Amino acid sequence: MTDVSGDEPEYPSPSISDCRRLQGPNRYGPTPGAVITVVVADDAARRAVDHWPYAARRLTQALGWERTEFVARHSIGDATCYLSAPMDGLMTATAVAEMAWVESEAYVDQREVPDAAPSLRVQYAEECARHPHVRELAAGALSRGLAFSIDDEAVSVGSGRGVRTWPHGDAPPSASVAWNDVSDVPLIMVTGSNGKTTTTRLVAAMWRAAGATTGWSCSDGVFVESDVEKRTLGVGDYTGPGGARLVMRDAAVQAGVLETARGGMLRRGLGTTTAQVAVITNISADHFGEYGVHTLEDLAEVKAIVTRALGAHARLVLNADDPSLVALGERLSAVHAVPIVWFSMNADTELVADGIDVHGDGAVLHDGHLMLCREGVWGDSGRVNDMPVTADGAARHNVENALAAALTASCAGVPLSAVHVTLRRFGSAVHHNAGRLERYAFGGITVFVDYAHNPEGIRALCATAASVAATRRGLVLGNAGDRDDEQLRALARAAWSVATFDRVIVKEMVSLLRGRPEGELPALLVDELRRCGAPNDRVTISPSEFDAVCELLAWARGGDVLVLPTHAERGRVTGYLEQLRASGWRAGESLPET
């Protein structure tokens, strides 16, 4: 077989590029397990992938694991090999996956390797001793329809005010648990390519307007808010299962809203086994080439992992205007019992009507009003131009987010009055939706700050800014290095297709190079902008995000509109904008020191 080793390999075979535990429902199945990614460079490697399930089955039988599921999936240049595993054997499962691959390579090469089963038995016995009663607690929660979650520190059953959590080693037998005292609070999962954080914050605000102590996890952190206080449980990107568990394990929480991103689902699985509602906002090209995701259909399949936490009485909310989600809905309807309901910017969309006929719920935009159907009865949730989050209706992507949030909250049982009051006031203050379509007007200029990070997000941001009259328009452009070249070029094309900018400053973000050499990303974006027709004298490169923002502010004059997608230094950028506004700075004046 081809030797792909470079440095000393971390794994028992140099062709294994990744191995990870999946601690919850995942891309391959509803139960936890382990998955390896292997480099496939020749026919011998492809044959080894095909043999892997047989080798893995032999090892799991030696461990006494019953009803184990195996998946070996070929991709472009690599393959993934997955096995399900008991809750008390996830670390052992990673070793099983690796050693099954070693055996498969040896099988293809017709050579002998030592039998790994004896050492795996020892490893599994030690792991079980560290995690007593975990398997029976999981079974007890599952049989009662309750949430179960596990990580390296603890195990828990139930959620929010009905949760019970124990450190590993202290977990009791299932028979000792007072199951009548264990319960779940409403849990909502929010995923999609764009709009996740805004939708999460909107739904959380709707629960708060209903008086519920609400916990939510998102790309900015984990928060719990009640009538008397707002607590921060974590700061940073908590869109993976770790953020979900922090919300679920807080005993004050009465409702939870969990932003659920692609990366966390692929790396670790879901943080919960149950949810009442899940929403997928949209699907757009992003992160292709990672974890076997190469097409929009692949990406939709990943986002649909959230359905593995939905029972027969839950709701899946989908965007009827997104072709990838329409196709996903058709596939899910054939294999999954979860009810699907739809929202649309078009009042005549048949899918919305079909969902209402069967399940009673849906949402549409009609004559400029957000119309929400609950249990078969239509109601007017207000004029979208009067909803601050939509920027007088100009932010069409936030009209979609408002539709998604209103329908999702309604399906979760939020009173309609709380939905309506939230739509009327959310976005009226910057802190409501920090980092998402923040609009500043000071010094004679208008500035838009947003997290837009893929072509559709940039297109939506630039379109919103284009609705504002301007003397000139300026843009800061850049992205992280974990996108392929075509995705980066598409970002530049999307920005230039909406508006002809008078100045574009392409930013380098050293902290987000993700393995690329310095200078490569800006050069690629500049090249694509020039291909789109941007004059050479309008496009420059800046060494950092903050430097790019300052350069654009120094260029600005009264009447200009500036568009600032921020990713690496958002806090510093928004803090400086607030400083300029408070100081009375005017466009054309020298910039003050930071």
Side-chain angles (χ1 to χ4, degrees):
M1 301 185 70
T2 301
D3 184 1
V4 297
S5 61
D7 298 331
E8 189 68 22
E10 178 183 355
Y11 304 111
S13 167
S15 55
I16 299 175
S17 62
D18 184 49
C19 181
R20 57 195 185 275
R21 290 170 293 160
L22 300 174
Q23 295 172 314
N26 54 77
R27 187 180 186 185
Y28 308 97
T31 56
V35 61
I36 59 171
T37 302
V38 295
V39 177
V40 178
D42 53 27
D43 287 338
R46 282 184 280 275
R47 293 198 301 274
V49 171
D50 293 337
H51 184 265
W52 180 89
Y54 300 97
R57 183 173 183 270
R58 185 189 74 80
L59 294 175
T60 56
Q61 286 180 328
L63 293 172
W65 293 358
E66 299 177 351
R67 294 185 293 277
T68 304
E69 299 290 332
F70 306 96
V71 177
R73 181 176 293 178
H74 292 273
S75 187
I76 300 173
D78 60 23
T80 51
C81 300
Y82 161 84
L83 72 150
S84 62
M87 290 286 187
D88 55 4
L90 296 182
M91 284 299 296
T92 304
T94 63
V96 170
E98 293 172 2
M99 298 316 298
W101 178 250
V102 171
E103 286 193 13
S104 297
E105 288 184 307
Y107 171 82
V108 171
D109 290 344
Q110 296 183 334
R111 54 184 171 82
E112 296 290 329
V113 293
D115 184 5
S119 63
L120 289 172
R121 291 192 192 97
V122 173
Q123 181 175 346
Y124 182 45
E126 293 173 348
E127 187 173 1
C128 288
R130 293 193 302 271
H131 303 133
H133 312 303
V134 165
R135 195 192 299 201
E136 60 180 289
L137 284 173
L142 179 64
S143 67
R144 294 168 173 84
L146 295 168
F148 175 88
S149 67
I150 185 172
D151 58 17
D152 292 341
E153 287 75 40
V155 58
S156 60
V157 294
S159 57
R161 60 183 177 180
V163 74
R164 297 294 182 272
T165 303
W166 303 273
H168 284 300
D170 294 340
S174 179
S176 299
V177 175
W179 287 105
N180 289 338
D181 296 331
V182 181
S183 61
D184 278 322
V185 298
L187 292 175
I188 295 169
M189 307 184 79
V190 181
T191 192
S193 294
N194 293 299
K196 295 186 296 295
T197 299
T198 296
T199 302
T200 296
R201 290 168 171 168
L202 265 168
V203 175
M206 290 169 181
W207 271 118
R208 280 295 306 122
T213 297
T214 305
W216 69 97
S217 55
C218 65
S219 56
D220 274 350
V222 183
F223 311 94
V224 175
E225 185 172 359
S226 67
D227 291 335
V228 296
E229 65 174 348
K230 180 178 180 180
R231 292 181 285 122
T232 300
L233 306 187
V235 176
D237 187 349
Y238 277 88
T239 57
R245 285 190 288 265
L246 283 174
V247 171
M248 294 167 60
R249 290 176 177 173
D250 192 296
V253 167
Q254 296 173 322
V257 189
L258 316 173
E259 182 176 346
T260 308
R262 165 208 60 88
M265 288 190 279
L266 287 169
R267 283 189 290 269
R268 284 288 181 259
L270 298 179
T272 178
T273 55
T274 63
Q276 283 63 55
V277 185
V279 55
I280 308 178
T281 57
N282 47 60
I283 302 293
S284 65
D286 201 7
H287 295 288
F288 285 171
E290 298 180 14
Y291 298 108
V293 175
H294 299 280
T295 66
L296 289 175
E297 183 176 341
D298 291 340
L299 193 55
E301 177 190 323
V302 171
K303 303 296 184 181
I305 292 171
V306 294
T307 64
R308 297 195 184 278
L310 301 178
H313 301 292
R315 288 286 189 274
L316 174 63
V317 176
L318 296 180
N319 184 346
D321 302 328
D322 188 304
S324 294
L325 291 179
V326 172
L328 175 67
E330 292 175 355
R331 295 194 298 273
L332 289 175
S333 296
V335 299
H336 202 291
V338 64
I340 301 175
V341 296
W342 302 84
F343 65 91
S344 174
M345 298 280 279
N346 182 353
D348 298 323
T349 301
E350 289 187 7
L351 277 174
V352 177
D354 292 343
I356 291 170
D357 287 344
V358 179
H359 306 299
D361 301 306
V364 297
L365 180 65
H366 179 67
D367 288 341
H369 287 247
L370 195 160
M371 303 298 295
L372 181 62
C373 188
R374 184 171 189 168
E375 297 179 0
V377 178
W378 283 101
D380 187 347
S381 296
R383 184 171 171 265
V384 296
N385 285 24
D386 296 332
M387 300 173 186
V389 74
T390 73
D392 298 322
R396 304 297 287 175
H397 61 295
N398 271 352
V399 176
E400 283 195 344
N401 292 335
L403 284 163
L407 179 55
T408 298
S410 177
C411 289
V414 176
L416 293 179
S417 58
V419 173
H420 298 161
V421 72
T422 301
L423 291 172
R424 288 197 300 269
R425 67 189 184 194
F426 185 88
S428 58
V430 169
H431 71 271
H432 289 169
N433 202 23
R436 302 303 189 275
L437 201 64
E438 294 184 46
R439 181 173 176 173
Y440 297 82
F442 61 86
I445 63 173
T446 300
V447 181
F448 288 91
V449 177
D450 194 89
Y451 184 67
H453 60 285
N454 57 38
E456 287 305 314
I458 285 288
R459 185 176 289 109
L461 172 61
C462 291
T464 301
S467 69
V468 177
T471 304
R472 300 180 304 171
R473 301 184 185 277
L475 170 70
V476 169
L477 188 65
N479 211 336
D482 56 354
R483 275 72 172 177
D484 62 29
D485 288 1
E486 175 51 32
Q487 288 175 282
L488 292 166
R489 289 185 179 277
L491 189 81
R493 290 195 298 271
W496 197 259
S497 70
V498 175
T500 301
F501 287 95
D502 300 282
R503 185 71 183 276
V504 180
I505 302 177
V506 178
K507 59 185 177 180
E508 179 82 275
M509 295 184 290
V510 175
S511 63
L512 298 178
L513 291 175
R514 309 285 167 81
R516 287 181 181 260
E518 287 188 41
E520 181 177 88
L521 286 168
L524 192 151
L525 290 169
V526 168
D527 179 68
E528 190 62 28
L529 286 167
R530 288 172 177 162
R531 289 187 184 187
C532 292
N536 289 344
D537 60 355
R538 294 191 190 182
V539 182
T540 58
I541 294 175
S542 190
S544 75
E545 183 169 82
F546 187 73
D547 287 334
V549 169
C550 289
E551 188 176 340
L552 199 61
L553 286 166
W555 167 83
R557 295 295 182 268
D560 289 352
V561 171
L562 310 184
V563 182
L564 310 180
T566 57
H567 311 103
E569 300 178 87
R570 194 191 81 199
R572 189 179 182 192
V573 168
T574 56
Y576 190 56
L577 294 176
E578 291 288 358
Q579 177 186 337
L580 293 178
R581 178 161 58 183
S583 70
W585 173 86
R586 303 289 300 177
E589 297 177 353
S590 297
L591 291 171
E593 294 290 331
T594 60

